[in-house]
C-alpha cells in the first residue's frame, strides 16, 4: 500500500519533515511529489493553488481518498508504526485537534517567513517513480 505526499518543495520546514519521513519510512509507504511539479500533480486534478491549503496525502490504490492540511499530517502519523496510538489520543483530547488545526494553518500561511524558502525545489529520492 502506497501513499503520495504532495508537499512544498521550496519550504524549509516542509522539506525537513519530508526528509524525516524518508528516514523513518525508507520508501515503504510514502512517495513524495513537490507541489511545484505541476505535471505530476495534475494527474490528480490538483493545482498549485489548491496546494496552498496545505500538504496533500493521496491513497495510491484509491486516489479519491485524500487528506489535506492538518488532516494529512494526522493521517501520515497514523500510518507510521505505532503512530495510530498517538494520533488517536491527539484526536480524542477535547479541543486539541481544533487548536492543532489553527496552528497548522498559521504555520502554513507563514512558512516562508518563519522557516525560509529554498533556492531550489527539493526532489525526494523516493519520488513517485522511484522505489
Amino acid at each position: 500500500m502506497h501513499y503520495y505526499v504532495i508537499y512544498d518543495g521550496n519550504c524549509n520546514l516542509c522539506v525537513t519533515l519530508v526528509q524525516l519521513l524518508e528516514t523513518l519510512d525508507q520508501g515503504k509507504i510514502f512517495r513524495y511529489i513537490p507541489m511545484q511539479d505541476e505535471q505530476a500533480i495534475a494527474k490528480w486534478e490538483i493545482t498549485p493553488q489548491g496546494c496552498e491549503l496545505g500538504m496533500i496525502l493521496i491513497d495510491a490504490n484509491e486516489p479519491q481518498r485524500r487528506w489535506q492540511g492538518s488532516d494529512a499530517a494526522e493521517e501520515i502519523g497514523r500510518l507510521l508504526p505505532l503512530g495510530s496510538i498517538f494520533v488517536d489520543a491527539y484526536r480524542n483530547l477535547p479541543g486539541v485537534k481544533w487548536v492543532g488545526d489553527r496552528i497548522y494553518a498559521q504555520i502554513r500561511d507563514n512558512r516562508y517567513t518563519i522557516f525560509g524558502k529554498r533556492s531550489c525545489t527539493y526532489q525526494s529520492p523516493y519520488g513517485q517513480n522511484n522505489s
Side-chain angles (χ1 to χ4, degrees):
M1 180 176 277
H2 287 311
Y3 292 84
Y4 295 108
V5 177
I6 300 178
Y7 67 98
D8 185 343
N10 293 340
C11 167
N12 284 328
L13 174 64
C14 306
V15 169
T16 298
L17 294 174
V18 163
Q19 290 171 334
L20 175 63
L21 273 174
E22 290 168 347
T23 301
L24 293 171
D25 179 55
Q26 300 287 307
K28 293 180 184 106
I29 299 173
F30 302 108
R31 299 289 185 269
Y32 308 91
I33 305 166
M35 69 182 223
Q36 289 79 12
D37 186 344
E38 294 183 29
Q39 185 177 8
I41 65 174
K43 292 177 187 175
W44 293 288
E45 299 178 4
I46 297 171
T47 65
Q49 296 78 18
C51 291
E52 290 301 321
L53 298 174
M55 77 168 94
I56 300 170
L57 179 67
I58 299 172
D59 183 329
N61 296 325
E62 296 181 53
Q64 70 279 5
R65 288 187 61 208
R66 51 180 77 184
W67 301 261
Q68 187 161 20
S70 61
D71 292 334
E74 291 171 24
E75 189 63 18
I76 290 168
R78 194 187 68 73
L79 291 165
L80 292 171
L82 301 176
S84 63
I85 294 167
F86 298 102
V87 172
D88 290 345
Y90 165 82
R91 287 177 174 166
N92 289 318
L93 289 170
V96 175
K97 176 158 175 42
W98 182 87
V99 170
D101 290 348
R102 299 314 167 278
I103 291 170
Y104 181 94
Q106 287 299 311
I107 291 172
R108 175 199 66 208
D109 294 346
N110 298 290
R111 63 190 180 276
Y112 295 143
T113 302
I114 299 169
F115 299 101
K117 186 174 182 178
R118 299 173 60 88
S119 58
C120 61
T121 301
Y122 177 75
Q123 298 288 336
S124 173
Y126 301 104
Q128 66 177 339
N129 297 321
N130 302 14
S131 298

